Amino acid sequence: MLFSSNGGKLILLVLCHFFLTSCLSSPSKGNRKKSGGVSNSPSSVAAGYGRILADNPIILSGNYNLSADTNLNTLLSSRQDFITNNQFLADECDGASTSIANCIDVRTNSTSLPLQAADKKWAFQTNTDEWLQVQTFGHMMRVADNFHSTLENAHSSAPILGYETSLPTSLFSNSTHWNTATPLVAFANCGVEDQAFYSPSKFQLCFGNDSVFPEVMIAEDNTVIYHEMGHAFNHILVNVRNRDAGITPSADLGHLFYDEAGSINEGIADLWSYFMNQRAHFAEWALGRFANLSRPMSEDDPLHAPGIAADNNSRLSYPAYLLYDPNLPDEPIEDVHTAGQIISHFLVALGKDMSTQCGWSTSTSITTLQYLLYETFVELGDLEAFGSNADKLGGINSVNLSQAHALTWSRIANPINFRRFTQVLSKYLLLIHGQAGRTSCNSTNYDMDSYEQLLDAYGLLLFKNYNEDGGSIAAGRSLSNTQITAANRVKTVTISKDLLKLDPTQNASQAFIFDNREALVQAYKSLSIGGRIGQLSDLIDVGLPYNNGNISISPGELVGVALNLYNDSNSPMAGIQVLGNDWDHGNADGKPCGTFQDQFPSSSEGGVVASDEVGLPTAGQCQYITRENGDDSVLEVMQPVCMVQVAEDNATKWTFQGALQTQRRIEDRNCLDGVGGNPNECFVRVVQGTDQATYSMLNPKSNWSSTVAPNGTPTFNYSNLIFMEVSPSTPPGTTFNCRFRVRFTNCEDCWVDPAASNTKGDDYQDYQYSGGDPFKIINFEFIVID
């Protein structure tokens, strides 16, 4: 372990969620009984049929203390379940008007051959690998059939309802509603302990076993199968428009150890169990029975702590319950699975509200929720940057800036968080059911006031308008955005970004610095395996021989930096994000801009201030923000975050690093970026791919450490750190200032542009995230020491 002087520690192991999606934990069990129950033999079923568990063993038995050695044959129904008419355990997925030939394939593990039944009979004893494969396949096909049929219905309904859909016209004709390059392969007994996960890069599912009672297989719990399939569906949906447009980069729902996109991913994956079973609880057998880690999806669940209830004063609200695990209610836990409960609870409550208001059945409300989620995910993941078919026809990039920069925007500049997700979902609810003239809800429109009050009860009424026109500079601010009713915001608290700062308490450090060689070597290897980190400079040996572990920044090192941020408000802050990517904070002459909120650096310190510029802001000026992330003009240059202090005319001034290279006559080959590289990254640079850090929340008048570990030592992970390289040529004693931009989800002025708010309450346009206005600028100053 690596310990900083402030008591933090950096984990060396890569937790499963970092590279995969959804790891499930367990512990427990003994030898399974093998007699009794239904005679599940091939002779007992017709061709194409077998038997699988209708639900998980806890629910089927009604016994929440069910023994680990229970004979699952006793829980099978005598009714036969259709499996497949193929000789192998693989099949196509059928829709009403389309099918995917090579859709789902299940095997025991990655080295096994496909299961074959020459007579096409799929009945086996429940203590066999053969039955576990059939169980896995049967439930995968059930939930896949549901996904494809509801997606097809959503697609066909959009033209009839007459709203701007995100679903491409050619969604099914081009088969972009699935990853058709390879089947979705699942390993029913993949040999990992206490885990189940979806691998987006491999398009595979893995279901393991309990570590204490290895005969308890996670795939015995159908809710876990639905959950992992939910991750696959989420991944498919955020890339629907990308596949349709032939775009190679892949959008994702969370690519850090902890972020709000990953939390949303987990919450929606839980919901797929609810969609299939109409039961608002997940994994009673695989997680609940043996690890006390199952998750509820409704406040009236008895597992919840006292004080949580299904009324608008007692909801599982954001951000108060971000760290809440109902199994361990007194212990704060920063984890995407626990944070995702807020989204799952909100959507279950929304479905119930629609049933009540509109007289819909539970199944109709669930289908409506699915339609809304499809539209939402497809828009959010669009790397073509149009967002809808109508905007594509008009050539309007309404989301994620533009195709050239959409991946950066979707992950860093304007990523999916609780605010953005609920705003887009709310927009589609408004367009499809809530606008005046809609008649789907008891012959009238769904009551959006009631909806906003429900959203507010969850602390999620974080937006001021529904942003129907998106963030396009060409079409945004069209005066057409529907505003929320301000009186509906009661519980939702937003906070000024000025109240997020470096910890001001006495003797507090600006940042936690990690430079232990062993820890950083392991970190770099792990990040490289996951494809998360860019290649290090040729000047930095991957063995990190210069890393000296002195908890400071020294020449030749790779270091991890975690800002010691502090919430100076009286309410919790959540979804804190630190950005270390290049941004527009210099002018065409290569001088740093002092035109932002902190007015640093001043003219005397080497900066350019507003009074230095005349006329309307034009490209190359500090008061002008690049419209295309630096690609729109040769005068617009995106600068690295770290400036350097140099001696000039008997004074010290701040400048970009190329000036120090020139002053010290450092050859290009001795700069981090090498010959032909960026001289402003000569001495210190943020490593590509690790240019953001995230923190779940900060309690009032607290830093992150005291929030997540009030009685102990916090564990830092890769999502908390920004990694920086320091050239061996960096002169010891040199002072640097890295201008990190920070913001948080429940921020009052990080998302809505004050310049537009008086008349429209409009969101910042996408291009503005290239500059400083939506952010609080945190200046991290340090001296490189030997």
Side-chain angles (χ1 to χ4, degrees), residues 117-275:
D119 57 1
K120 302 179 183 178
K121 293 185 177 184
W122 302 101
F124 304 95
Q125 295 300 300
T126 56
N127 63 337
T128 64
D129 276 340
E130 289 82 0
W131 177 82
L132 193 67
Q133 292 175 75
V134 174
Q135 158 84 354
T136 304
F137 180 83
H139 286 292
M140 287 178 67
M141 291 299 295
R142 284 184 179 182
V143 70
D145 286 347
N146 178 290
F147 172 71
H148 287 122
S149 63
T150 52
L151 181 60
E152 194 161 358
N153 288 337
H155 184 255
S156 61
S157 298
I160 299 171
L161 293 172
Y163 67 94
E164 291 189 10
T165 178
S166 65
L167 304 176
T169 305
S170 55
L171 175 64
F172 289 96
S173 60
N174 284 348
S175 295
T176 55
H177 60 298
W178 194 257
N179 179 6
T180 55
T182 179
L184 177 59
V185 177
F187 304 120
N189 182 5
C190 62
V192 299
E193 294 184 337
D194 304 329
Q195 291 185 31
F197 57 79
Y198 165 64
S199 171
S201 60
K202 296 181 179 179
F203 203 44
Q204 290 178 354
L205 304 181
C206 164
F207 299 98
N209 60 277
D210 188 277
S211 58
V212 178
F213 297 97
E215 72 274 24
V216 175
M217 310 305 299
I218 291 177
E220 292 166 359
D221 192 326
N222 62 323
T223 67
V224 178
I225 297 173
Y226 299 152
H227 174 98
E228 299 306 337
M229 286 290 284
H231 283 304
F233 300 151
N234 295 344
H235 185 235
I236 287 165
L237 288 166
V238 295
N239 285 288
V240 156
R241 295 192 68 87
N242 306 331
R243 281 190 300 275
D244 190 68
I247 294 174
T248 301
S250 178
D252 46 47
L253 269 174
H255 66 291
L256 301 171
F257 174 77
Y258 177 92
D259 63 5
E260 290 194 349
S263 301
I264 292 164
N265 195 356
E266 292 298 337
I268 303 303
D270 282 358
L271 272 181
W272 274 96
S273 171
Y274 174 67
F275 292 162

Side-chain angles (χ1 to χ4, degrees), residues 515 546 548 550 552-557 559 726-727 784-786:
D515 69 334
Y546 289 95
N548 54 27
N550 65 354
S552 299
I553 299 176
S554 304
E557 287 190 327
V559 300
V726 186
S727 169
V784 172
I785 66 171
D786 205 354

Side-chain angles (χ1 to χ4, degrees), residues 552-767:
S552 299
I553 299 176
S554 304
E557 287 190 327
L558 172 69
V559 300
V561 176
L563 295 184
N564 187 17
L565 295 174
Y566 183 86
N567 173 10
D568 202 21
S569 81
N570 296 321
S571 301
M573 287 179 179
I576 298 92
Q577 185 189 25
V578 181
L579 296 187
N581 61 315
D582 296 359
W583 62 287
D584 189 2
H585 64 119
N587 72 356
D589 295 328
K591 292 186 176 182
C593 296
T595 54
F596 306 113
Q597 312 102 321
D598 59 358
Q599 297 183 334
F600 171 81
S602 65
S603 294
S604 62
E605 294 172 307
V608 177
V609 298
S611 59
D612 294 335
E613 299 178 333
V614 297
L616 293 174
T618 58
Q621 290 188 342
C622 283
Q623 296 181 81
Y624 180 90
I625 302 172
T626 170
R627 271 48 174 173
E628 191 52 40
N629 214 41
D631 291 347
D632 46 340
S633 170
V634 293
L635 300 176
E636 286 297 311
V637 179
M638 306 297 286
Q639 295 288 2
V641 296
C642 295
M643 305 180 298
V644 65
Q645 196 174 68
V646 298
E648 185 178 294
D649 300 326
N650 297 318
T652 57
K653 295 189 176 182
W654 290 104
T655 184
F656 294 112
Q657 295 176 47
L660 181 62
Q661 181 194 357
T662 300
Q663 188 182 83
R664 291 296 183 113
R665 298 181 180 178
I666 303 293
E667 296 183 19
D668 286 350
R669 61 187 177 87
N670 291 323
C671 283
L672 290 172
D673 239 14
V675 177
N678 185 351
N680 291 333
E681 290 185 327
C682 182
F683 301 99
V684 174
R685 71 174 183 181
V686 174
V687 182
Q688 186 179 9
T690 65
D691 47 5
Q692 69 170 314
T694 62
Y695 305 87
S696 56
M697 64 182 290
L698 304 175
N699 282 333
K701 304 298 181 181
S702 298
N703 59 17
W704 176 78
S705 173
S706 59
T707 298
V708 300
N711 300 312
T713 302
T715 300
F716 286 85
N717 57 65
Y718 303 141
S719 61
N720 302 137
L721 302 177
I722 288 177
F723 287 83
M724 299 168 58
E725 297 173 286
V726 186
S727 169
S729 300
T730 305
T734 306
T735 301
F736 291 86
N737 186 304
C738 298
R739 305 172 89 181
F740 292 115
R741 297 179 297 164
V742 299
R743 58 167 169 215
F744 49 98
T745 301
N746 61 330
C747 178
E748 174 66 25
D749 45 359
C750 298
W751 313 101
V752 177
D753 187 355
S757 62
N758 291 335
T759 57
K760 312 179 190 86
D762 215 338
D763 284 15
Y764 279 109
Q765 294 175 302
D766 281 345
Y767 80 91

Side-chain angles (χ1 to χ4, degrees), residues 87-129:
Q87 288 190 2
F88 295 95
L89 205 57
D91 212 339
E92 64 183 14
C93 294
D94 292 320
S97 60
T98 185
S99 65
I100 300 164
N102 205 16
C103 187
I104 288 176
D105 183 334
V106 174
R107 307 182 183 199
T108 298
N109 53 50
S110 60
T111 62
S112 63
L113 296 173
L115 180 62
Q116 183 177 10
D119 57 1
K120 302 179 183 178
K121 293 185 177 184
W122 302 101
F124 304 95
Q125 295 300 300
T126 56
N127 63 337
T128 64
D129 276 340

